[in-house]
């Protein structure tokens, strides 16, 4: 027996509207389905909170069969974590983009308005297996690290 694939990655967020403004509005993800209050017994068993109430949104990642799921816990409320990339338990997803510089310029002001930030300007990858590509790290509205990656052409 072995893993046979991947379905989705889930992030817990503080404010679903702000997160959707980022993922749907800025990054172009599409909502597959939204459940404002998930309270089923099976779900509560899976998450380990017998009285849990979650606002759940499943998003389609453009150009991918993988999905992003967002949970906003209504009960019990959680505590924000330090998701700095060097902290154990922190993670990120790298999303492919066609033109990183153009995307960076187009979304820069909207990112700031949402309380998001870039770690750096787009960086040219001048060595290694992705030689010729471009990348940057940024943080979503909850401080979750995300990488935008423009693969080398050719």
């Amino acid at each position: 027996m072995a893993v046979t694939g991947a379905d989705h990655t889930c992030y817990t967020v503080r404010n679903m509207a702000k997160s959707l403004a980022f993922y749907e509005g800025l990054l172009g993800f599409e909502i597959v389905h939204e459940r404002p209050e998930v309270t089923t017994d099976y779900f509560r068993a899976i998450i380990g909170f017998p009285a849990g109430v979650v606002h759940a949104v499943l998003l389609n990642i453009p150009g991918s069969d993988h999905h992003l799921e967002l949970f906003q816990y209504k009960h019990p409320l959680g505590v924000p974590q330090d998701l700095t990339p060097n902290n154990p338990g922190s993670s990120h997803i790298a999303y492919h983009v066609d033109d990183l510089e153009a995307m960076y310029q187009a979304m820069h002001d909207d990112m700031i308005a949402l309380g998001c930030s870039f770690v750096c300007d787009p960086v040219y990858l001048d060595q290694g297996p992705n030689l010729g590509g471009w990348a940057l790290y940024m943080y979503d509205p909850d401080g979750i690290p995300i990488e935008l990656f423009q693969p080398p052409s050719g």
Side-chain angles (χ1 to χ4, degrees), residues 34 81 87 105 122 125 127 133-134 144:
E34 181 171 1
Q81 304 296 303
N87 286 334
Q105 295 297 329
L125 307 177
Q127 53 186 310
W134 290 85
I144 297 168

Side-chain angles (χ1 to χ4, degrees), residues 78-150:
V79 178
Q81 304 296 303
D82 181 354
L83 302 174
T84 306
N86 63 318
N87 286 334
S90 180
S91 65
H92 77 274
I93 295 179
Y95 297 116
H96 283 183
V97 299
D98 290 331
D99 185 339
L100 183 56
E101 180 64 34
M103 187 171 182
Y104 172 78
Q105 295 297 329
M107 66 189 289
H108 187 273
D109 292 343
D110 291 329
M111 285 273 296
I112 304 307
L114 284 172
C116 305
S117 62
F118 290 101
V119 171
C120 60
D121 295 340
V123 174
Y124 178 71
L125 307 177
D126 61 0
Q127 53 186 310
N130 293 309
L131 175 67
W134 290 85
L136 63 72
Y137 268 23
M138 62 186 193
Y139 293 102
D140 85 348
D142 290 288
I144 297 168
I146 293 171
E147 181 179 354
L148 296 182
F149 173 59
Q150 177 183 328

Side-chain angles (χ1 to χ4, degrees), residues 4 7 10 12 17 30-31 43-44 61 63-65 73 75-76 82-83 104 127 132 134 151:
T4 61
D7 184 72
C10 184
T12 299
E30 296 174 357
I31 295 176
F43 180 78
R44 288 173 165 173
I61 301 170
S64 173
D65 291 333
Y73 279 79
H75 180 80
D82 181 354
L83 302 174
Y104 172 78
Q127 53 186 310
W134 290 85

Side-chain angles (χ1 to χ4, degrees), residues 27-85:
L27 298 184
F29 292 18
E30 296 174 357
I31 295 176
V32 175
H33 59 78
E34 181 171 1
R35 299 184 298 169
E37 288 198 353
V38 184
T39 59
T40 58
D41 290 338
Y42 80 83
F43 180 78
R44 288 173 165 173
I46 291 169
I47 63 172
F49 293 109
V53 179
V54 171
H55 181 177
V57 177
L58 187 71
L59 297 151
N60 183 46
I61 301 170
S64 173
D65 291 333
H66 196 79
H67 292 88
L68 178 67
E69 187 171 44
L70 302 175
F71 282 177
Q72 179 182 345
Y73 279 79
K74 295 181 175 185
H75 180 80
L77 296 178
V79 178
Q81 304 296 303
D82 181 354
L83 302 174
T84 306

Side-chain angles (χ1 to χ4, degrees), residues 8-37:
H8 67 274
T9 298
C10 184
Y11 291 143
T12 299
V13 301
R14 273 183 294 230
N15 180 310
M16 188 62 76
K18 194 178 249 192
S19 293
L20 289 175
F22 177 79
Y23 288 101
E24 183 183 25
L26 288 182
L27 298 184
F29 292 18
E30 296 174 357
I31 295 176
V32 175
H33 59 78
E34 181 171 1
R35 299 184 298 169
E37 288 198 353

